[in-house]
Each structure stands twice: as C-alpha cells, then as structure tokens.
Amino acid sequence: MAAGAKTTPARLQPTLGKRIRRDLSRYKYVYIMLIPIVVWYILFCYRPLLGNVIAFKDYKASKGIWGSPWVGIKHFTAFFSSFYFWRLLRNTLLISLYGIIFSFPAPILLALLMNEMHSRWYKSTVQTITYMPYFISMIVICGMLTIFMDPTNGVFNKVLQMFGHDSVAFLSVPEYFKTIYVFSGVWQGMGWSAIIYISALAGVDSQMHQAAIIDGATKLQR
C-alpha cells in the first residue's frame, strides 16, 4: 500500500441503513419527483402482468381471473401441437427479421440526410412531417391503410391504374402482409427514432469532421 494512504476502519464506515437514510435526507426532493413515475410503472406496466395467469386457467368472464379453474399447461400443449404452430413461428420470426433489417437503418439514414441539410426551414419541415406519424394511434394507422389500399378507390390502386395495371387487393393477399406490416411500422416510428440519432450527431465534435475532411474522407465515411 502506498505510504501515507489512509483507510477508513470498517467499524467507522456507515451501514447500508445509514447510507439510505442519508441519501433520502440529502436528495429527498429528487425522490419525491420520482414517486409519480414509479406509481405509473406499477399501475400500468407491472400490475397488468398479473393477468398472465389467464394462460394457466380455463378463463370464464363470469367467474373472473381468480375464480376460473386452473388447467396448468393445457393451452400451451394445444398450441405447440397445433397444425399451424410452425407456420405461426416462421411468420413471427420472419416479421421480426424484416423489422430488424429495415427498421434499424431507416432512422439512421434519415438522421444522416437531415444532418446534411443546410436550410434550417427545410430541415425543420422534413423533421416535423416525418415525426408526426408517431403520434397516430395504431387503430388509425390500420384505418388509413385500409383506405389507401382499397381495391376500388385506394390511392395505391389509382396509381397502378394510371400506369395501365389492374387493381390489387393488397390486404387480401397473404404475400403482401409482412411487407405492409413492416413498412407501415417503419413509416410510423422512423421520425421519432431519427430525432434521437440527430441529437447524437449534434454532440459530435466539429473538429473531428474537419480533421476527417482534411484527411480526404468522403461524406459517407464521415
């Protein structure tokens, strides 16, 4: 041990209870501000998890969750042995994979494009337009897709008809479902995620960009 170094004897170190009381006293207003957030999470995030017990019961609405009889893993056994289990598993994995492939890079590319815009007005306009769909509820999004892809008056089919193609019932073709589902989610959340990446790009030191330019780096490399 280095000369002159001092260590606090174990008997003089505050206990856990004392440290907690000291922190509560010192930061009491911070903890008071946290109370509504903790209550919100308990009521709306953790309390609903108790409803998962329905999976192990023969649920009857008249008897309620706790009054319904237990059936163990009966429902899980029926699901795993179902004829459609592997199809459902495959579709779920494919949708998740498509979401990773397209949902992850889309907001990054949008953030990089907006970061290169020099017109402040144009940048704010694009950011607002791409950010607005995030506040639209999923129910409204589904209604919009139903209207836009209507075989008779939908805007997508109107465009197809302008180019001499026949109308397509997009929502009735199974092959189109994954594409519609994934890209509608990308469209809805891309603007919100891009704002986070723009904030990260704004924190990059400008001298690093200048040094990269001097070294001959392209925009994509920077």
Side-chain angles (χ1 to χ4, degrees), residues 84-188:
Y84 297 102
F85 169 72
W86 292 109
R87 182 187 299 180
L88 294 172
L89 180 62
R90 182 191 62 188
N91 290 337
T92 302
L93 294 177
L94 286 176
I95 289 175
S96 300
L97 179 62
Y98 292 163
I100 294 174
I101 293 175
F102 296 104
S103 300
F104 178 72
I108 298 177
L109 294 175
L110 178 61
L112 290 172
L113 290 173
M114 287 195 293
N115 192 58
E116 293 295 327
M117 294 179 183
H118 299 291
S119 174
R120 193 175 186 87
W121 176 86
Y122 187 70
K123 180 178 180 180
S124 300
T125 303
V126 173
Q127 187 173 348
T128 301
I129 293 174
T130 56
Y131 182 61
M132 287 175 61
Y134 180 76
F135 296 98
I136 303 176
S137 68
M138 186 58 65
I139 297 176
V140 177
I141 291 290
C142 293
M144 292 171 62
L145 291 175
T146 303
I147 295 173
F148 293 159
M149 297 185 180
D150 183 77
T152 305
N153 299 315
V155 62
F156 288 99
N157 280 303
K158 291 294 184 182
V159 173
L160 289 177
Q161 291 172 5
M162 288 175 57
F163 289 95
H165 296 282
D166 296 330
S167 298
V168 179
F170 292 100
L171 298 180
S172 301
V173 181
E175 289 77 8
Y176 293 149
F177 172 76
K178 289 188 287 290
T179 302
I180 296 173
Y181 179 83
V182 171
F183 279 94
S184 62
V186 171
W187 170 72
Q188 185 177 17

Side-chain angles (χ1 to χ4, degrees), residues 7-55:
T7 58
T8 304
R11 58 187 177 84
L12 297 180
Q13 294 180 357
T15 61
L16 178 61
K18 289 182 178 179
R19 291 201 300 269
I20 293 176
R21 287 194 295 270
R22 182 185 61 191
D23 290 342
L24 288 175
S25 177
R26 182 180 300 177
Y27 306 110
K28 57 183 177 181
Y29 295 111
V30 177
Y31 287 113
I32 291 174
M33 293 173 61
L34 286 175
I35 290 176
I37 301 175
V38 174
V39 172
W40 185 89
Y41 269 97
I42 292 174
L43 292 179
F44 298 101
C45 294
Y46 293 104
R47 184 172 175 271
L49 291 176
L50 296 175
N52 290 337
V53 74
I54 295 178

